[in-house]
Amino acid sequence: MKVLLTGGAGYIGSHTAVEFINAGYDVVIADNFDNASPLVLDRIERITGTRPTLYELDVADAAAMDAMFDKESFDAVVHFAGLKAVGESCAIPLKYYRNNLDTTLTLMECMKRHGVTRIVFSSSATVYGIPERVPLVEGMPTSCTNPYGWTKYMNERILTDAATADSELSVVLLRYFNPIGAHESGLIGENPNGIPNNLMPYITQVAVGKLPRLGVFGNDYPTPDGTGVRDYIHVVDLARGHLKAIEYAAAHTGTEIFNLGTGIGYSVLDIVNTFSRVNDIDIPYDIKPRRAGDIAECYADPKKANEVLGWRAELGLDEMCRDSWNWQKNNPGGYTLD
Ligand code: UD1
């Protein structure tokens, strides 16, 4: 089985590449390295003993995509490529809509021309918008609070409509909750540009001394300790969910949506305290005002993925904190030559 991973050099893509290679798949990565390092390929090879085939291209470049599809014979595609920073998407929305929609449309047209009928898409729990209640179930109403989220929402729509019109298509939409952690080798992990927006990379950069203190955005939410509650999921568990999704896509047509989360909500202070305990590092923090656009609680009901895909998150918060730190301390400057 040959699988194309668009954006396969990114955080979730690289962990998924490792799991697919370990499961015996032939992995091809297409990435423009806009927000990823070419050194990821070396690291994947060190972990698995196999170097994925690489195409350095923009997924919105139809000619380059056609040339790749002409050369390779893909059985399925996992589509990760896209811009993903919430704040940036509010500042430059047109770039987000252009990039995140163009890539999907070009990819889908290219798949159609080449008779490739299975696609798994990287969606996000962000499409639940401001939820009326938790845990979140796939059938709940969707809406968004920022352009990044709307691009996920619109891509879900594009893929769903394409599968309605073409009875041979198989679309699996995976709604990720909050991926953290890293491969246990410490060779691949999350490598944000500039000052991190997300909680765990911020904590690890405080731990490694790159940032002085964490700001905790609000302690007056209606949650047990007042700080925001999220469903943090180990990126290796998340990557394994893609294997199950590809198997599902191979056996079904139409569109199916799955939450990929643990079903457990942890607060910001739970994460800080667990990180400190597991790694024996103090994380100094200050309580700051709420961050605009944040919600109090967001966690999954993962029952559908458990039952239909036979997938379940297995790694706990201790492992997530241990592996995030292992990656950061071994790679204080991110991806650099060994
Ligand atoms: C964010 C995005 C979401 C995206 C997801 C994955 C927003 C509003 N949402 O989710 O659309 O899919 O990342 O990239 O940006 N926190 C702090 N201090 C920090 C950073 C975060 O207290 O320095 C808190 C937040 O208020 C929140 C929790 O930590 O309660 C998690 O935040 P974060 O990691 O940014 O993820 P989300 O906001 O859930």
Side-chain angles (χ1 to χ4, degrees):
M1 279 274 277
K2 189 181 277 190
V3 60
L4 169 65
L5 308 185
T6 75
Y11 174 46
I12 302 170
S14 58
H15 288 83
T16 303
V18 166
E19 296 306 314
F20 273 88
I21 292 169
N22 286 343
Y25 283 78
D26 200 352
V27 170
V28 175
I29 288 177
D31 207 300
N32 65 359
F33 299 115
D34 190 50
N35 187 25
S37 166
L39 295 175
V40 168
L41 277 292
D42 299 346
R43 303 293 183 88
I44 293 172
E45 186 175 1
R46 271 173 68 187
I47 294 170
T48 64
T50 302
R51 192 175 184 83
T53 305
L54 170 71
Y55 287 82
E56 184 172 351
L57 56 75
D58 189 327
V59 177
D61 178 344
M65 289 285 283
D66 273 331
M68 175 176 67
F69 272 74
D70 282 342
K71 248 179 115 182
E72 310 287 345
S73 200
F74 296 120
D75 295 292
V77 177
V78 187
H79 181 32
F80 297 101
L83 301 173
K84 62 171 188 179
V86 173
E88 187 182 66
S89 80
C90 298
I92 44 173
L94 299 185
K95 183 172 174 188
Y96 269 69
Y97 287 114
R98 168 67 67 193
N99 183 78
N100 289 1
L101 301 183
D102 245 3
T103 44
T104 301
L105 292 168
T106 305
L107 171 63
M108 293 299 287
E109 288 165 352
C110 189
M111 285 172 60
K112 179 128 187 120
R113 281 194 292 277
H114 292 83
V116 180
T117 57
R118 298 167 197 157
I119 181 165
V120 172
F121 176 63
S122 249
S123 191
S124 167
T126 196
V127 301
Y128 292 112
I130 302 169
E132 273 172 26
R133 58 199 158 86
V134 282
L136 291 155
V137 180
E138 289 83 350
M140 282 182 176
T142 47
S143 176
C144 295
T145 56
N146 58 74
Y148 155 77
W150 283 114
T151 69
K152 292 293 183 194
Y153 177 102
M154 290 175 189
N155 275 325
E156 285 199 357
R157 192 73 254 156
I158 289 167
L159 291 166
T160 303
D161 289 345
T164 303
D166 180 348
S167 61
E168 285 182 9
L169 256 187
S170 178
V171 169
V172 179
L173 307 175
L174 298 179
R175 293 182 179 159
Y176 308 154
F177 282 70
N178 288 56
I180 59 171
H183 190 264
E184 62 175 0
S185 63
L187 288 168
I188 54 174
E190 188 169 14
N191 187 30
N193 278 331
I195 296 180
N197 298 308
N198 297 118
L199 179 63
M200 185 53 89
Y202 206 106
I203 290 177
T204 61
Q205 293 204 11
V206 171
V208 85
K210 283 172 93 172
L211 293 167
R213 299 172 76 80
L214 172 71
V216 172
F217 298 144
N219 67 348
D220 56 353
Y221 285 106
T223 60
D225 65 18
T227 66
V229 166
R230 298 288 182 275
D231 186 337
Y232 296 91
I233 173 169
H234 197 296
V235 66
V236 171
D237 274 330
L238 191 72
R240 290 177 181 150
H242 295 74
L243 267 176
K244 296 290 189 182
I246 282 283
E247 287 167 12
Y248 182 88
H252 301 83
T253 54
T255 302
E256 212 60 62
I257 305 175
F258 297 100
N259 286 337
L260 293 186
T262 65
I264 303 167
Y266 288 110
S267 74
V268 176
L269 294 182
D270 287 334
I271 304 297
V272 171
N273 294 334
T274 307
F275 187 93
S276 297
R277 174 178 54 76
V278 168
N279 298 312
D280 201 16
I281 300 175
D282 190 38
I283 302 295
Y285 67 84
D286 303 303
I287 304 295
K288 298 269 171 134
R290 292 182 180 191
R291 180 172 68 179
D294 274 358
I295 53 179
E297 282 191 296
C298 175
Y299 56 92
D301 179 343
K303 191 160 166 255
K304 185 176 175 192
N306 297 166
E307 288 179 356
V308 179
L309 295 181
W311 169 90
R312 185 177 297 277
E314 282 165 5
L315 299 163
L317 191 57
D318 283 18
E319 284 102 344
M320 299 183 216
C321 291
R322 177 198 67 197
D323 293 337
S324 289
W325 176 232
N326 189 39
W327 152 254
Q328 179 75 79
K329 76 167 186 268
N330 289 330
N331 303 271
Y335 285 104
T336 49
L337 282 170
D338 299 309

